[in-house]
Amino acid sequence: MGGHLSGLRVLGVLALLALVVPLSADADAAAIQVRDETQFAAAVAALRDTGGTVALRGNYYGGELVVGTRSTRPLRIVGDRGVRVESLLLERTQHVSVSHITIAPIRGDAWLRISGSRHIELHDLLVTAKRTRYRATVQINGSRHVTIRRSEFRHCGDRSPLFSNCLHLKHGTRHIRILDNWFHDCRGCDFVHGLFGYDLTLRGNRFERALPCRMDHERCGHQDLVSFWSGNRLLVERNSFGVYRVGAAQLYLVRGVDRVSIVNNVFRGTDPRVPGYHSRVAIIVGSKGSKRVPRRVRIVNNTILTGARRIDGYAGSIRMSGVYWGLQRRKRPLLANNVIGLVQDPHHICSVAGRAVENVVLRGVACRGHNRVGRVHLDRRGRPTAASTLLIDRGSRGFGTRQDIDGRPRDLRPDIGAYEYRGPKRTG
């Protein structure tokens, strides 16, 4: 196939351009409709220079769908209800959007792979391997200006004997946006994992329920909701982190992940759908097994309700590597304006942080200086109430954020935690 399509076949596909496709708001009034892999290849070839829309009609696409080198005019790939794709490769291409399709196994592992491409947008996808022995994943490798939004990732490899990641980033990725997605209910996998080059944003995502699998420990022993091992300029903002059963942390940053901002997030330690779970650590910055640690990390205005004793005895919502003792203070983590669920031993938080100011600890001890221990009277969603006097108007304005987790501006006397209180304040 590829570039060896006959002229008659391409002309036949072009004749379909006049058909109206009632699919979604993303589809053009006129689009090329396809029902199998051969028709898809012909449609992509026909729209290589002009751009346009390829409409996948309801069907299972078990063969590989490929979009290769093309012009800068946008190409839209839009799925109808019932579209299930096992493998979609965007290779050395540009200005392509993919929406309203399910990436799921048919005869083997399912994947959507973006390799050596730029200006790619994925939205309104479902990625799942539920009820199969295979994996389903989105992979980004050596690509830039990629956005993934409003998509759902679930059961990405529950029964696969191989390591599973719902979203896997590899070397060379730059300018990546992961926005408003829902990652949930995955057994023995990381929701987001890997390496990136420069500029990665995670905003407005929900990470819920990393569940234990029943295979060997090597396969099931990693359940970090988000894990990064290398990269420069990472923003983790306005996300909700839920429970995991076995693993290091809800957010795990090790080795060369530099210039990190973790702001306005909520970390939850329990979930009513899995009673008995208690997430142990919310954030780990730096691994005890690596001399290279993340530098210039800001942990600011988060509500961290996670905190339980690990099997190795450590009890704390945050853990930072002892390697920071040997670094200049300006390269060490900043900890400001956070609600912190548990600090039993300040050795791996207060002693290694470059600065810790205006944090409130729910259980345990506080760092020296302007930090406190006490009850904060949050509601069941983690928001402050009128009784949250340890939080309201008590944050550091110099280190704080201008907006809260909902995007609302903070006032001149900002609050501690992810949420800015909006109700009437107590007096006296």
Side-chain angles (χ1 to χ4, degrees), residues 140-143 167-174 176 192-198 200 227-232 254-257:
I140 307 176
N141 184 21
S143 298
L167 176 56
H168 193 185
L169 306 181
K170 297 187 176 182
H171 287 288
T173 59
R174 300 170 63 89
I176 309 299
V192 182
H193 175 94
L195 318 167
F196 66 96
Y198 179 78
L200 171 62
S227 174
F228 291 120
W229 298 73
S230 177
N232 187 5
V254 294
R255 299 181 186 172
V257 186

Side-chain angles (χ1 to χ4, degrees), residues 146-187:
V146 177
T147 298
I148 303 172
R149 59 184 175 90
R150 293 201 316 265
S151 295
E152 181 180 355
F153 297 76
R154 68 184 188 219
H155 299 285
C156 301
D158 294 355
R159 299 167 58 193
S160 171
L162 304 175
F163 284 116
S164 303
N165 301 296
C166 294
L167 176 56
H168 193 185
L169 306 181
K170 297 187 176 182
H171 287 288
T173 59
R174 300 170 63 89
H175 309 297
I176 309 299
R177 302 289 180 265
I178 304 169
L179 312 174
D180 304 314
N181 302 286
W182 185 24
F183 298 82
H184 67 102
D185 296 297
C186 191
R187 295 186 179 275

Side-chain angles (χ1 to χ4, degrees), residues 194-413:
L195 318 167
F196 66 96
Y198 179 78
D199 185 25
L200 171 62
T201 296
L202 275 74
R203 179 185 296 123
N205 303 284
R206 289 185 291 157
F207 302 97
E208 298 176 337
R209 294 180 297 280
L211 307 172
C213 64
R214 296 182 176 88
M215 286 173 275
D216 61 274
H217 176 74
E218 184 178 0
R219 164 64 179 83
C220 302
H222 77 118
Q223 285 183 311
D224 311 313
L225 306 186
V226 175
S227 174
F228 291 120
W229 298 73
S230 177
N232 187 5
R233 205 173 88 172
L234 169 64
L235 174 61
V236 182
E237 179 182 46
R238 303 178 191 169
N239 302 283
S240 175
F241 291 84
V243 298
Y244 69 94
R245 184 60 178 264
V246 180
Q250 291 163 307
L251 177 59
Y252 187 35
L253 306 177
V254 294
R255 299 181 186 172
V257 186
D258 297 332
R259 296 174 64 194
V260 179
S261 293
I262 305 168
V263 298
N264 290 328
N265 302 281
V266 174
F267 295 81
R268 306 183 190 280
T270 60
D271 187 321
R273 295 189 59 177
V274 281
Y277 272 42
H278 295 280
S279 294
R280 291 168 173 81
V281 180
I283 303 171
I284 289 181
V285 185
S287 169
K288 64 180 180 180
S290 174
K291 294 183 179 180
R292 178 65 164 90
V293 293
R295 299 177 182 179
R296 293 183 171 87
V297 177
R298 299 173 63 250
I299 304 174
V300 176
N301 275 115
N302 299 282
T303 297
I304 304 172
L305 306 177
T306 302
R309 185 178 298 278
R310 297 198 313 188
I311 59 175
D312 64 359
Y314 182 76
S317 302
I318 302 172
R319 184 182 176 98
M320 301 176 186
S321 171
V323 173
Y324 284 112
W325 295 329
L327 295 184
Q328 298 173 319
R329 285 196 172 273
R330 62 186 178 86
K331 295 181 180 180
R332 300 185 193 179
L334 164 69
L335 196 64
N337 294 357
N338 299 286
V339 175
I340 304 176
L342 175 65
V343 179
Q344 187 175 84
D345 181 0
H347 180 68
H348 283 287
I349 299 179
C350 308
S351 301
V352 295
R355 190 160 185 180
V357 295
E358 305 300 353
N359 301 286
V360 176
V361 176
L362 306 187
R363 294 176 291 134
V365 297
C367 300
R368 295 178 180 178
H370 298 282
N371 301 279
R372 293 170 293 280
V373 177
R375 296 183 62 189
V376 294
H377 303 282
L378 303 177
D379 67 16
R380 61 184 181 84
R381 299 175 61 188
R383 298 174 182 268
T385 64
S388 304
T389 54
L390 285 182
L391 307 181
I392 298 172
D393 295 343
R394 303 294 290 270
S396 166
R397 186 179 179 187
F399 291 116
T401 61
R402 295 181 179 180
Q403 297 177 328
D404 73 355
I405 190 171
D406 293 325
R408 297 175 177 176
R410 296 185 184 270
D411 56 32
L412 294 178
R413 299 175 62 189

